[in-house]
Amino acid sequence: MPMNFRVYSSGLIAALVMSSFFVAAQSKSDPAVLEAQADTLMGKEDYAGALALYDKIVQASKFKSPDDYKVYYKRAFSHYGLEHYAEALKDVNQYLEKFPDDQAKLLRTYINQGLGNTEAQLEDLNAFLAANPANTDLLRWRASVLMEAERYDDARRDIRQLMAYQPGPELKSYLGLCYFYEHNIDSALATFDEVIASNPEIVQTYLYAGSLCLDEEQYDAALFYIDKGLKQEPSNNTLLFYRGIALVEKDNVKDGCRCLSKAFAAGLDDAGQYLKQYCYGSE
C-alpha cells in the first residue's frame, strides 16, 4: 500500500529536505566523486577543469596512504596538457617517489621535452633503452634529443642502429644532417647525394642540401640542388624561396625577386625580408 506523504508534519519534511541537501553536498566534495569528475574532464581534454578538481583533492588529502599520491600523476598530466611544465614536473616527481613506474617516467620525459631539458630526457630514455634496446621509437626519440644536444657522434650511433632495423632514405638523410650541423660539409653532401641517387623523388633531401649550400655561401651548388628539387616538385615554395636567395646573391636580381615574390605570395613570410632588402625599387 503506497505511503501517504500528507501525514508527515511540515517540520519532518523540512528535516528530510535538509538531510538530503547535506548528503548531496557531502557527495559533491567526496574525493572519490571529485576524482571521477576530474577523470571525465581529463578524458575530454578539459585540462583546466580537471586541474581545478585535482587541486581540491590534493588540498583535502592528508596523504596517509601511498594510494593517495596517485592524484599527483593525474594532476601532472593536467598541467602537462596546459603546458605548465614546471608544475607538471614537480607533481610527477612526487608521484614517482611512491610509484616508480614506467608510465610516469615516460610522462616525465615528455615534460622535460617541453622544458627543453635534453640531459633529463636522455637520463630517462637511456634507462628505457637499457631495458628495450631494440625499441625503434625510443631510438628515434633519443637520436633527435642527441642532435638537439649537439652530441652528433652519439646521434649517428643511434641512427645507424635504427637503419639496421629500418633501412631507408629518411634515416640516411638524418645522418647527413648530423654532418651538416657539425659543419662537416663534404660528408653531409656526400650523404645527401647518396640519398638522391637512390631516391630522387624525395624533395626533402634537396631542401637539406640546398640549405646547407646557402649557409656556406656556395650559391652555384645551392642552385644545383634546388633546381633538381624543383623538377620533382615545381610548386615547392621553400625551394622557390631558396632559389630566390641564391639568385639575388649571384646578382641575378630580376629572376631572384620573381622567385621570392612567388614564395611570399604563397604564404612564405620569410621571403618578405629578402624582398624588402633586394627587390623593392630594384627594377
Side-chain angles (χ1 to χ4, degrees):
M1 181 176 179
M3 185 176 290
N4 186 349
F5 283 94
R6 285 177 292 181
V7 301
Y8 287 105
S9 69
S10 59
L12 183 55
I13 291 172
L16 287 170
V17 170
M18 289 304 294
S19 176
S20 298
F21 176 80
F22 176 75
V23 171
Q26 187 180 41
S27 66
K28 286 181 180 178
S29 62
D30 182 84
V33 174
L34 288 176
E35 189 166 358
Q37 293 171 343
D39 293 349
T40 299
L41 292 172
M42 180 114 75
K44 296 177 179 178
E45 298 185 5
D46 181 358
Y47 299 118
L51 179 60
L53 296 179
Y54 290 136
D55 280 343
K56 289 182 179 180
I57 297 168
V58 170
Q59 290 164 10
S61 178
K62 294 181 172 54
F63 296 100
K64 293 180 178 179
S65 164
D67 281 350
D68 293 338
Y69 286 81
K70 291 181 179 179
V71 71
Y72 278 123
Y73 173 82
K74 295 179 179 182
R75 193 171 73 166
F77 199 97
S78 296
H79 277 305
Y80 175 75
L82 294 167
E83 299 183 6
H84 301 165
Y85 298 126
E87 295 89 341
L89 183 62
K90 182 179 178 181
D91 274 356
V92 79
N93 279 334
Q94 285 184 281
Y95 172 82
L96 282 166
E97 287 178 8
K98 299 293 182 180
F99 300 95
D101 60 68
D102 285 347
Q103 190 66 31
K105 290 176 183 176
L106 185 62
L107 175 58
R108 183 172 64 185
T109 312
Y110 278 110
I111 292 167
N112 280 314
Q113 184 181 57
L115 288 167
N117 189 335
T118 55
E119 290 307 310
Q121 287 178 76
L122 289 171
E123 184 177 348
D124 279 331
L125 288 170
N126 289 341
F128 286 136
L129 281 162
N132 301 280
N135 187 306
T136 55
D137 290 333
L138 290 172
L139 277 170
R140 279 177 177 270
W141 191 350
R142 188 170 70 179
S144 68
V145 176
L146 288 167
M147 290 175 72
E148 187 180 351
E150 300 183 4
R151 291 171 53 178
Y152 300 117
D153 284 341
D154 292 333
R156 278 195 293 270
R157 178 204 63 213
D158 278 0
I159 292 168
R160 289 193 175 99
Q161 185 176 345
L162 275 167
M163 290 174 68
Y165 301 125
Q166 300 173 336
E170 179 194 8
L171 289 171
K172 195 158 194 176
S173 291
Y174 289 155
L175 276 180
L177 282 175
C178 285
Y179 289 124
F180 178 4
Y181 293 143
E182 65 184 355
H183 306 291
N184 186 340
I185 308 306
D186 291 340
S187 294
L189 288 177
T191 305
F192 293 144
D193 286 341
E194 290 176 10
V195 176
I196 289 169
S198 60
N199 298 89
E201 75 284 358
I202 299 177
V203 174
Q204 189 64 47
T205 317
Y206 302 106
L207 286 164
Y208 291 152
S211 176
L212 184 156
C213 293
L214 287 175
D215 281 355
E216 295 297 311
E217 300 182 358
Q218 297 180 19
Y219 301 117
D220 287 328
L223 286 169
F224 171 79
Y225 290 109
I226 291 164
D227 288 343
K228 276 180 168 288
L230 284 168
K231 285 181 181 178
Q232 298 293 329
E233 191 177 317
S235 62
N236 187 290
N237 298 320
T238 306
L239 285 171
L240 281 170
F241 173 45
Y242 288 174
R243 191 171 195 273
I245 295 171
L247 288 170
V248 295
E249 292 289 355
K250 283 175 57 64
D251 294 325
N252 186 346
V253 176
K254 182 177 180 180
D255 290 338
C257 289
R258 187 177 293 118
C259 290
L260 290 170
S261 294
K262 287 181 181 178
F264 185 68
L268 208 63
D269 292 340
D270 288 345
Q273 293 299 319
Y274 284 88
L275 284 168
K276 289 178 183 178
Q277 183 175 353
Y278 292 104
C279 305
Y280 291 164
S282 62
E283 296 181 351

